[in-house]
Amino acid sequence: MTDATITLSDPQEVLLLFGSQDRFLRKVRDAVGLDVTLRGDEIRLHGSDDQIKRGLQVFAEMRGIVERRGELNDDELAGILGRTNGHKPPASEAAPADTEDALPRLDKVKRVGPRTPGQAEYVQCVRANELVFCVGPAGSGKTYLAVAMAVNALRLEQVKKIVLVRPAVEAGEKLGFLPGDLLAKVNPFLRPLLDALHDMLDYEQVKRYMERDVIEIVPLAFMRGRTLNQTFIILDEAQNTTVTQMKMFLTRMGQGSRIVVTGDTTQSDLPPTMASGLMDAIRRLERIEGVGTVHLTGRDIVRHRLVKEIVKAYDDDAAANSHRRKKG
């Protein structure tokens, strides 16, 4: 029996290599037959010469994926273990050919993935950063892909909870006059997020996760005073946040959490004299490491073909009006 040592440069790497509740570590131990222990910043391997050789190969490939993408998933680990065992993993375990971009749904065969280069950039940006701002027109997939990424992170146990947030700007003082309890009052403002969720999970799954507080859909005002750890948080329609609200929201981020902020700057419901928290935050934060910004365009619209034409018509008209004002 022999030993080998792998020295880690970053404590965070241990969490990524071992997986939540050490599930990756258990799979490596079972597949290779190694005894693996962690001492400080060192992973120590104990086993036969062949086991040590395979173990070092497995961890080298795992570290390579973590360094490239900042994360490792179950499909990728299954592929690594299959290769080091000298055979290809079963089809159900093998990583799909398009694993860099495709987003598996939780319990369905059909996959969600980017359909334009801009959307592919968006997906990669979310994978590479802890905080991402995505600005784009209606129908460009801002919210849908963010929800898909959140569901996938939950499936892979990278987070323990999903929180979907939306400002209820139009409600304001009128909220109390709407019929029903609080959930009924805010439901129209949160409905688009719920629709995206139901498109990826069946009704019973969504209901079960919401009852267990694994998935939470809340108005922005309800975020004050909270700290969310190991949570995938999405703020939709962020162009309707004020600077103060955006600061409040972003500072809810806890350890192990990710935030995606989406919005369409052409559809703000704020008073004309009030600054948008979305654009203000992008200006202040986009140079910070770990913060990414993606700008989608009309070329990324994937709804009905008329949506792209409608957006273009309004944009052209706005541009023409702006040109006339400058000339006048």
Side-chain angles (χ1 to χ4, degrees), residues 61-94:
E61 290 198 41
M62 292 169 67
R63 294 183 77 183
I65 292 175
V66 167
E67 288 174 3
R68 288 195 307 273
R69 297 206 302 105
E71 63 183 17
L72 176 73
N73 64 42
D74 294 86
D75 289 336
E76 289 163 336
L77 179 58
I80 293 170
L81 295 175
R83 287 191 296 276
T84 58
N85 283 333
H87 66 275
K88 294 181 179 180
S92 61
E93 297 178 0

Side-chain angles (χ1 to χ4, degrees), residues 190-234:
L190 306 179
R191 191 75 221 178
L193 292 170
L194 200 56
D195 289 343
L197 202 56
H198 278 140
D199 196 42
M200 296 167 207
L201 306 173
D202 63 44
Y203 177 82
E204 289 302 321
Q205 280 182 301
V206 174
K207 180 181 178 182
R208 185 168 64 251
Y209 283 131
M210 292 183 72
E211 288 175 347
R212 296 176 182 176
D213 209 33
V214 175
I215 295 177
E216 186 179 0
I217 306 179
V218 296
L220 176 61
F222 284 36
M223 294 293 288
R224 189 174 300 278
R226 302 180 65 179
T227 300
L228 297 172
N229 297 314
Q230 292 185 282
T231 304
F232 200 116
I233 314 163
I234 299 171

